[in-house]
Amino acid sequence: MTQSFAAKTVLTLDAEAVRALKVGINFVKNPEDRKCFIIYKDQDGVRACRNQCKHQGGLFMKDIEDLHERTVRCTKHNWKLDVKAMQYVNPPDSFMQDELEIVWKDPSVGGLELVELNPPDPWLTDPRGAQELEAGEVTITYLTHACMQLKLGQRTMLFDPWLTGPAFARGWWLLHQPPEDSFERLCKADLVYISHMHSDHLSYPTLKTVSKKRPDLPIYVGDTSRPVFWYLEKSGITLTNINVVPFGVWQNIDEHLRFMILMDGVHPEMDTCVVVEYKGHMILNTVDCTRPNGGRLPTGVDVMMSDFAGGASGFPMTFTGGKYTEIWKAEFIRNERKKLLNYKAQLVKSLQPKIYCPFAGYFVEAHPSDLYIKTTNTKNNPDDLNALIKKNSPGITTWTPKPGSVLDLGVALKDPSRKAGQIESPNSAKTYKDSWDFSLYLDELSLAIDAEFFQHKSWIPFYYNWAGFKNYNLVIRVIETNDDFEPVFGGYDYLVDFLDLSFPPRRPDRAHAYLEIKNRIGVMRHVVKHGLLWDNLYIGFQNRISRDPDVYHHRFWNHFQIELPTTGPDWDLFLQNSSARGSVKRL
């Protein structure tokens, strides 16, 4: 079936305005709504787009480093867009910009129109009017981090259950103590939505416990190109009721309850958000999406929830050398957190939910070896975001729950202040965790260190050939270290040249980009052994990185964090071949 698109004229220029366009980049505002557009003109014609960065919606400005009048720079994160090609050049080899259609007017009149083609908003399919809710009919209970329990009539639904263990190998631990009956709630759920494959949302330690009691727990995920449960078979966990559903299609649970999964506009290959509707009342959960559904979302929902904290990246805390002094890092982090707060507040303002809840940011770098990260990786306070929302949108009520706190939507909607339905957790409930079972999980990671195949240096080309990343002018040096990022005696220290996927003894003489990556040996070998994604290292703060030049290599990181093969390396085959070849073992 061919999808129909709605055409909307977003800017009209008369003949005189068209003649006034200079060769190169033009910033043009619509005088009616003050929206800004970028128009590029050269001998080949005219191209145009909104003045809006695809990353977090920042505005572009002229790039003073561009001598060819082709690129613009985002004022938020310095992303750069080549407007002639409509392709981002920083980060390089990354995204394409959404382009507007150029419609030329009749020559007798002259001028042009910029036209935006948008698919229909899928949540408007089969619209349902809002019915009155009874007290207790719809409740939302916060458990921890991104995990919410929704009671929707006779059904219960849970979001992103991370209830135990670490995330990203050993880098993240739960900040909030889940209620004591959280696993019981999860096991009794009618359906579970898991937004994406990151381990603070898809928690294998949590699902391992659940699978022993209820392997047929109904779990719903979006049909992302990188399957959410790509690692399930190798994990050894038995879950028999995983449902992969298409984007933008209502999933009807009963006559009153349905939900729809939407993709992220920046990372559609792996990230999603969800709209839940019960008796015409909508709950929007944008989770971690950078640009949920490309910025097109339902307005006026009853409840909206989203992340807020920041700090979910190794940058810049794990970077060393050059400009990455402690003063620079602190200033950068402070500015980035402020930008994120403003972005979230603006998004909430534009969507005008009745109630907004900041969540999905309650993690802590709890292990003692990560004290530096814990100290420097400051995160946003939800109260600061709530205050900003109140300032910009006084009609929106905010709800910042503690574990076990409940929002009764039926009661809240009947109260003009929306506060009546907010029920705090019992005084006896514990808010913050103060202990974590580190040894249980770190010992499991350390088991990989002594895997037999690591005795053969030829594991290095075997692994990187399996990874399949090449034809890119980047050389990396990988150094295995202890917890303090000091080289380990007997650990590996090697180079990989991704231009021809070779493993030289020294850096090549040609000009090339260079990364030096120090990885904690237990985590690195665990990742290599099981064919896991490198987000465990990068997002989990398990490495230290220096780079020359100081450029983010989107293709490299995107491949190793998202695009590695879904079937892990065959180390049994490797050992058989190594034995057959008489491969020399390391002593």
Side-chain angles (χ1 to χ4, degrees):
M1 179 183 295
T2 302
Q3 188 178 33
S4 61
F5 285 75
K8 178 184 177 182
T9 299
V10 294
L11 179 68
T12 300
L13 297 183
D14 59 23
E16 182 179 353
V18 171
R19 286 193 297 270
L21 293 174
K22 66 177 183 177
V23 173
I25 296 168
N26 299 266
F27 293 92
V28 182
K29 273 190 178 181
N30 185 328
E32 296 179 2
D33 60 11
R34 308 300 295 167
K35 298 293 184 183
C36 189
F37 301 88
I38 302 174
I39 300 177
Y40 181 82
K41 177 184 175 181
D42 66 5
Q43 68 275 12
D44 297 325
V46 175
R47 305 186 78 170
C49 66
R50 285 187 176 273
N51 185 1
Q52 186 175 59
C53 181
K54 197 163 189 173
H55 181 217
Q56 281 191 359
L59 290 176
F60 288 109
M61 63 181 295
K62 184 178 179 180
D63 180 13
I64 60 174
E65 297 176 349
D66 174 32
L67 301 179
H68 303 288
E69 280 279 323
R70 287 182 51 160
T71 63
V72 290
R73 179 177 62 84
C74 180
T75 54
K76 277 193 172 183
H77 299 100
N78 292 317
W79 282 36
K80 292 187 178 184
L81 172 68
D82 180 336
V83 189
K84 178 178 173 61
M86 288 295 166
Q87 184 171 13
Y88 286 85
V89 293
N90 182 31
D93 303 298
S94 54
F95 304 100
M96 298 296 295
Q97 181 77 338
D98 296 328
E99 192 168 356
L100 298 171
E101 294 289 321
I102 307 292
V103 178
W104 295 95
K105 294 184 178 181
D106 186 282
S108 63
V109 178
L112 62 77
E113 292 180 343
L114 302 187
V115 177
E116 189 171 52
L117 300 179
N118 291 311
D121 294 330
W123 54 87
L124 299 179
T125 304
D126 184 23
R128 298 178 180 178
Q131 302 177 39
E132 186 173 344
L133 299 177
E134 299 295 329
E137 188 174 2
V138 174
T139 61
I140 303 173
T141 304
Y142 171 69
L143 301 183
T144 187
H145 190 56
C147 186
M148 290 280 193
Q149 179 194 36
L150 279 61
K151 178 183 175 295
L152 304 150
Q154 300 303 309
R155 309 276 186 172
T156 59
M157 180 179 189
L158 261 77
F159 296 153
D160 290 333
W162 173 28
L163 301 176
T164 191
F168 301 108
R170 47 175 278 193
W172 294 27
W173 303 82
L174 285 169
L175 176 67
H176 284 165
Q177 177 70 47
E180 292 183 1
D181 63 348
S182 292
F183 271 105
E184 182 180 350
R185 295 174 189 244
L186 177 56
C187 288
K188 290 181 177 180
D190 294 290
L191 63 156
V192 173
Y193 161 70
I194 294 181
S195 60
H196 61 292
M197 64 184 178
H198 281 166
S199 49
D200 61 319
H201 300 263
L202 169 54
S203 167
Y204 279 104
T206 299
L207 295 178
K208 182 178 180 179
T209 300
V210 171
S211 67
K212 296 174 183 177
K213 296 182 179 180
R214 194 182 171 195
D216 63 345
L217 178 70
I219 298 174
Y220 292 83
V221 297
D223 189 14
T224 49
S225 58
R226 179 80 184 194
V228 176
F229 276 95
W230 68 272
Y231 188 69
L232 179 64
E233 183 176 350
K234 190 161 186 177
S235 75
I237 297 172
T238 300
L239 294 169
T240 61
N241 197 357
I242 295 173
N243 304 272
V244 181
V245 302
F247 292 115
V249 178
W250 283 119
Q251 306 299 315
N252 295 295
I253 304 302
D254 59 33
E255 65 172 316
H256 298 304
L257 174 60
R258 59 184 182 174
F259 71 92
M260 174 184 293
I261 298 178
L262 304 170
M263 69 171 65
D264 183 34
V266 174
H267 294 293
E269 71 281 356
M270 55 85 63
D271 216 347
T272 74
C273 57
V274 68
V275 179
V276 179
E277 185 181 77
Y278 176 81
K279 287 189 176 181
H281 294 274
M282 283 191 180
I283 298 169
L284 170 64
N285 177 9
T286 64
V287 207
D288 287 354
C289 286
T290 306
R291 289 278 290 166
N293 200 43
R296 296 181 61 84
L297 294 167
T299 59
V301 299
D302 294 274
V303 180
M304 174 186 174
M305 53 189 76
S306 77
D307 66 334
F308 70 95
S313 168
F315 187 84
M317 294 80 61
T318 62
F319 283 66
T320 62
K323 70 183 181 185
Y324 296 105
T325 65
E326 296 307 310
I327 294 174
W328 187 92
K329 290 180 186 180
E331 182 67 17
F332 178 88
I333 292 168
R334 184 163 50 250
N335 289 335
E336 286 302 296
R337 301 300 179 264
K338 183 178 180 180
K339 290 176 185 176
L340 180 61
L341 277 188
N342 288 328
Y343 170 66
K344 293 297 179 181
Q346 183 59 43
L347 181 62
V348 172
K349 181 180 180 179
S350 68
L351 296 178
Q352 287 293 302
K354 296 180 178 68
I355 300 169
Y356 171 74
C357 173
F359 83 144
Y362 299 111
F363 68 94
V364 61
E365 305 86 345
H367 192 271
S369 65
D370 288 324
L371 179 61
Y372 168 76
I373 300 294
K374 180 182 178 181
T375 303
T376 58
N377 189 26
T378 56
K379 303 170 187 69
N380 284 329
N381 187 316
D383 293 334
D384 293 336
L385 176 56
N386 291 342
L388 189 56
I389 290 171
K390 274 295 180 189
K391 178 181 177 182
N392 296 341
S393 312
I396 297 174
T397 298
T398 58
W399 177 52
T400 309
K402 296 178 180 179
S405 296
V406 178
L407 174 68
D408 188 322
L409 188 58
V411 174
L413 294 179
K414 292 186 176 87
D415 175 21
S417 72
R418 315 286 188 209
K419 293 289 187 181
Q422 299 184 19
I423 306 168
E424 293 298 323
S425 54
N427 292 331
S428 59
K430 187 176 180 180
T431 299
Y432 297 102
K433 289 182 69 70
D434 53 19
S435 64
W436 300 264
D437 197 349
F438 295 132
S439 60
L440 174 65
Y441 299 100
L442 269 65
D443 289 350
E444 182 180 347
L445 293 172
S446 297
L447 290 175
I449 294 176
D450 296 322
E452 182 182 355
F453 67 85
F454 283 118
Q455 297 178 27
H456 303 264
K457 190 173 183 178
S458 55
W459 76 263
I460 298 171
F462 184 87
Y463 172 75
Y464 287 97
N465 275 280
W466 163 84
F469 182 71
K470 57 184 177 180
N471 300 323
Y472 189 73
N473 191 19
L474 172 68
V475 176
I476 66 169
R477 179 185 178 188
V478 179
I479 305 168
E480 293 185 324
T481 74
N482 59 19
D483 277 4
D484 296 322
F485 299 100
E486 297 295 332
V488 173
F489 177 76
Y492 284 96
D493 182 340
Y494 58 88
L495 293 170
V496 184
D497 186 342
F498 287 111
L499 187 61
D500 58 0
L501 200 52
S502 61
F503 307 89
R506 63 188 63 85
R507 290 176 61 176
D509 293 332
R510 71 172 195 278
H512 60 276
Y514 177 71
L515 290 179
E516 184 173 288
I517 308 174
K518 297 179 178 180
N519 292 321
R520 285 175 173 163
I521 186 170
V523 178
M524 181 60 183
R525 293 197 176 186
H526 179 78
V527 165
V528 167
K529 178 180 178 181
H530 297 286
L532 296 172
L533 299 170
W534 282 29
D535 54 12
N536 290 280
L537 294 157
Y538 185 74
I539 303 178
F541 317 116
Q542 298 304 299
N543 53 25
R544 295 295 182 266
I545 300 168
S546 60
R547 58 192 187 186
D548 180 26
D550 185 21
V551 173
Y552 177 69
H553 294 280
H554 173 83
R555 276 185 59 191
F556 169 77
W557 288 111
N558 195 65
H559 187 90
F560 279 90
Q561 291 188 109
I562 295 177
E563 296 180 353
L564 288 178
T566 55
T567 302
D570 190 339
W571 295 115
D572 291 334
L573 176 63
F574 167 79
L575 288 172
Q576 291 173 18
N577 292 340
S578 297
S579 299
R581 293 194 306 266
S583 174
V584 178
K585 292 185 176 182
R586 296 184 66 186
L587 299 178

